[in-house]
Amino acid sequence: MGLTSNAAVLAGAGALGAGNGQGELAAHVAETMAGLTRSFDRAYFLDCWRAHRFEDELWLKMGELGLHGVGVPEAQGGMGGGLTEMVLIMDLLSQAGLPSFLYALTCFSRTPIVRHGTPQQIERYLRPTLSGQQKICFAITEPDAGTNTFRIATRAERRHGGWRINGQKVFISAADHADLMMVIARTRPYTPGENRKDGISVFVIDAKHPGVELKPLNIELYSPEKQFQVFLSDVDVDDGALIGPEGQGLETLFDALNPERLLISAICVGLGDYALGKTIDYVNRRAPFGKPIGSYQGVQHGLARAKAHIDAARLMAYHAAHVFDGGGRAGAAANTAKLLASEAGVEAVDACIQYHGGYGFDADYDVITLWPMVRLCRTAPLNNEMVLNYIGEHVLQLPKSY
Ligand SMILES: Cc1cc2nc3c(=O)[nH]c(=O)nc-3n(C[C@H](O)[C@H](O)[C@H](O)COP(=O)(O)OP(=O)(O)OC[C@H]3O[C@@H](n4cnc5c(N)ncnc54)[C@H](O)[C@@H]3O)c2cc1C
């Protein structure tokens, strides 16, 4: 692990936990994670990436330790806690250089099931994730609609007491390793002039259904999890696959999208701290002019500024998670956290590259290898322009600009 910012994280999570009576769980999670990340490190993650294989051992160990059940109410078979504790796990995984996409994907995809699922759906889709037995990926983005989710063309049509889904998705992370796929589809086509929100529905499908075809994309994040184009051809599902109300799935959807923004924020601040930790080790040793470069203010200021921005973004992320867990409207805080965390992560990794000099570009130093993932977070899951649009419109009450 890089910097000793666990104390700051715990203080943040503890303070937030105290509000929802979950401070003890957050402390337990942090202790369990400290043990886990002593056994699994960045070298393990990169070995999985090199071998093109999923991080099975890490995932199974998390299951043994009960970590997959954290964030789900005990009444539904989980360990209790909420988004706050899942963000904590994601943060601590990332601080150790293990930013598992499928952990984030499974957590935010199942949150709408926790909140809107029927008892049968809880049993069928949620419970198998609690031991880690099943993983969920998330499919909203489409080639033509891009950022404009309202324009998605994937259709779910009524068929024989269930639904038949046809369409195409793109950039779907870890679709090959997932057992289930949360698919956002239209049960009524988009019609200009009508309310664009009408017709959006949320489904869970079997990711191994014969009608699901995956085509890998050539995206390099130095992560074991890859991205895919997904073709959905006559994917028949029963009525139980529809989560929340038909055609009015926007609220259901946002119970995945706000957690997504915060789990991605956790990757940014955690990985940012990992990068700073590496850099501190390096600048304390590297001395081309006789004194370690870490003793120069020019270097210290860059690292100190990045650290300040990371910790501020982290607090915002835990605050937003706390709002979400309390049942409040988390959109403003979640978007703000995502903006700050993605900028802070980029700043930290950029400083890491800069102060490693030429070695920053040698993949064997695992510095340049951090760049694609943090830089991605300014673009995905929602680009920062759209995040700023949200703040402009919903926080500052300015007119919608697009
Ligand atoms: C590595 C990776 C993993 C991903 N994983 C998933 C996943 O698991 N599931 C999933 O569903 N999707 C996933 N995505 C998709 C990701 O969420 C989209 O790429 C992202 O939402 C942007 O969509 P687009 O690429 O079509 O960009 P476009 O919509 O074409 O936008 C391009 C750019 O235009 C600008 N822009 C667009 N609209 C506006 C506006 N209204 N105002 C101002 N500027 C604007 C922004 O700078 C934006 O980046 C992933 C993407 C990547 C690269």
Side-chain angles (χ1 to χ4, degrees), residues 101 105 138-143 145-148 170-173 219 221 227 376 379-383 385-386 389 402:
F101 265 11
L105 288 158
F138 186 76
I140 187 169
T141 307
E142 297 191 3
T147 305
N148 189 358
V170 70
F171 298 124
I172 308 309
S173 297
I219 290 176
L221 296 177
Q227 282 66 41
L376 165 73
T379 305
L382 183 66
N383 57 70
E385 288 86 351
M386 284 300 283
N389 288 343
Y402 55 95

Side-chain angles (χ1 to χ4, degrees), residues 331-386:
N335 278 288
T336 303
K338 193 272 174 183
L339 175 76
L340 298 178
S342 57
E343 300 292 352
V346 163
E347 183 180 13
V349 173
D350 190 52
C352 182
I353 295 169
Q354 183 68 14
Y355 302 136
H356 273 81
Y359 297 106
F361 296 87
D362 181 341
D364 288 348
Y365 276 68
D366 185 28
V367 170
I368 197 69
T369 38
L370 299 169
W371 177 253
M373 191 170 286
V374 290
R375 179 58 187 81
L376 165 73
C377 297
R378 284 174 61 191
T379 305
L382 183 66
N383 57 70
N384 282 359
E385 288 86 351
M386 284 300 283

Side-chain angles (χ1 to χ4, degrees), residues 6-208:
N6 273 355
V9 172
L10 261 184
L16 295 164
N20 64 11
Q22 294 291 342
E24 271 179 37
L25 179 62
H28 169 73
V29 163
E31 201 182 309
T32 308
M33 287 298 298
L36 180 80
T37 54
R38 272 194 292 276
S39 307
F40 293 93
D41 59 9
R42 178 77 180 163
Y44 165 78
F45 191 81
L46 291 175
D47 281 348
C48 292
W49 159 69
R50 272 187 213 99
H52 304 290
R53 70 178 190 89
F54 181 62
E55 58 270 25
D56 273 317
E57 298 82 0
L58 172 67
W59 190 269
L60 288 172
K61 190 70 192 172
M62 287 178 74
E64 274 173 36
L65 295 170
L67 290 165
H68 293 303
V70 171
V72 173
E74 287 172 76
Q76 295 178 340
M79 296 276 287
L83 181 58
T84 306
E85 287 76 12
M86 294 190 282
V87 165
L88 178 60
I89 292 174
M90 192 74 255
D91 186 0
L92 294 173
L93 278 173
S94 305
Q95 284 185 39
L98 306 162
S100 165
F101 265 11
L102 251 176
Y103 177 71
L105 288 158
T106 299
C107 286
F108 71 72
S109 300
R110 72 188 180 183
T111 305
I113 307 171
V114 168
R115 291 199 165 185
H116 306 276
T118 62
Q120 292 76 20
Q121 290 172 332
I122 302 286
E123 208 53 48
R124 186 175 171 190
Y125 301 128
L126 181 68
R127 280 197 185 260
T129 67
L130 301 177
S131 57
Q133 189 198 333
Q134 294 210 335
K135 313 173 192 81
I136 316 180
C137 68
F138 186 76
I140 187 169
T141 307
E142 297 191 3
D144 291 336
T147 305
N148 189 358
T149 297
F150 296 107
R151 297 301 297 270
I152 59 170
T154 294
R155 280 297 310 274
E157 291 174 291
R158 271 260 165 240
R159 278 295 153 97
H160 313 304
W163 298 90
R164 174 165 286 182
I165 303 176
N166 279 288
Q168 193 181 332
K169 301 285 178 182
V170 70
F171 298 124
I172 308 309
S173 297
D176 54 341
H177 296 311
D179 306 281
L180 301 171
M181 185 181 292
M182 179 162 274
V183 174
I184 314 308
R186 277 201 161 273
T187 41
R188 270 167 274 160
Y190 172 79
T191 318
E194 286 183 10
N195 187 344
R196 61 195 187 133
K197 296 175 183 169
D198 287 350
I200 303 272
S201 301
V202 178
F203 292 89
V204 177
I205 67 166
D206 176 359
K208 311 292 181 218

